[in-house]
Amino acid sequence: MTKSHAVDVHVGLRMRQRRTLLAMSQSKLGDAVGLTFQQVQKYERGSNRMGSSRLFEFAKVLDVPVSYFFDEMPSNALSGRLMSAASRKGFGEAGTPFEQEKDPLIKRETLELVRAYYKIREGRVRKRIYEMVKAVGAASHSDLMSGRKKRQLGRPSK
């Protein structure tokens, strides 16, 4: 089993996240930088290391600064550890309490929601939707937390 460096895995996750947010296929990204979709796939999984010039090409095509790929680097990547395929499974987006499979930032639903949100041209409407979603999320979270507290105190929940 080949080990991947945690930095390569993180950079690949960030690349996949940005590509998906732009609704770009692996084939389209590969064509733009002269690679096959299989090579793009390997970079996104962190199984292939990426040279600086290749990273620069991806940054141009994905319209982000090179630093984007290193943003929110998790502590295990900063320590320079190698990761087996098994340990990559739980490698979540940095700065979040989520594992990769549970991380809402890499779910297609989240990315589609963000795309739809930014298609709303009127800034005031977009801001109101943002505030509404925040309020609904806060109320839902509050309900969840109060239900947990009641169960912890031995009271039945609603």
Side-chain angles (χ1 to χ4, degrees), residues 7-72:
V7 172
D8 298 323
V9 174
H10 178 75
V11 167
L13 283 171
R14 297 285 292 173
M15 188 168 88
R16 177 178 177 265
Q17 182 182 27
R18 179 65 180 168
R19 177 186 59 76
T20 307
L21 185 62
L22 295 173
M24 183 183 290
S25 69
Q26 289 176 331
S27 295
K28 187 175 176 186
L29 178 58
D31 289 345
V33 295
L35 297 173
T36 65
F37 80 90
Q38 292 97 331
Q39 290 169 302
V40 171
Q41 225 169 33
K42 287 179 179 182
Y43 284 131
E44 287 185 356
R45 282 192 304 236
S47 22
N48 280 3
R49 281 210 157 157
M50 196 178 315
S52 55
S53 57
R54 177 78 66 208
L55 187 61
F56 182 76
E57 290 176 39
F58 281 126
K60 281 194 322 189
V61 171
L62 297 171
D63 195 29
V64 291
V66 171
S67 61
Y68 166 84
F69 298 106
F70 301 97
D71 289 347
E72 302 173 353

Side-chain angles (χ1 to χ4, degrees), residues 103-114:
D103 186 348
L105 297 177
I106 63 173
K107 286 185 175 180
R108 184 163 306 280
E109 175 187 14
T110 304
L111 299 171
E112 288 173 2
L113 179 64
V114 170

Side-chain angles (χ1 to χ4, degrees), residues 2 5 18 23 67-68 79 81 89 100 111 114 120 124 137:
T2 314
H5 196 281
R18 179 65 180 168
S67 61
Y68 166 84
S79 69
R81 284 187 256 160
K89 184 179 178 207
Q100 182 177 348
L111 299 171
V114 170
I120 301 169
R124 288 186 312 192

